[in-house]
Each structure stands twice: as structure tokens, then as C-alpha cells.
Amino acid sequence: MPGDSMGAYILRRILLMIPMVFGAMAISFLITHFAPGGSVE
């Protein structure tokens, strides 16, 4: 069924997105903490 393969595709995309989101959050966290100057201003 075409709907079934579409659901599997969406599920696979979501599962791939989760570690990418965590990686982007970790990178931005490290940049804001170790970049020179305050990250507030």
C-alpha cells in the first residue's frame, strides 16, 4: 500500500531528525558557552 510506505518514510525521517536536533542543540550550547564575550548582549 502506498500509504504504508509513506508512513514508514515519515517515521524514518523523524527518527533521523531526533539525533540531528540534539546535535544542533549541543553545538549551539557549546558555542554560546565557549565563545568569547557574553552571549546575552
Side-chain angles (χ1 to χ4, degrees):
M1 289 206 304
D4 197 31
S5 62
M6 190 63 183
Y9 172 78
I10 291 172
L11 184 67
R12 194 162 61 240
R13 294 293 296 174
I14 291 172
L15 287 176
L16 279 172
M17 237 167 56
I18 291 168
M20 283 171 52
V21 168
F22 273 107
M25 277 179 9
I27 289 171
S28 61
F29 176 80
L30 290 172
I31 288 174
T32 54
H33 269 263
F34 293 114
S39 58
V40 181
E41 57 240 35

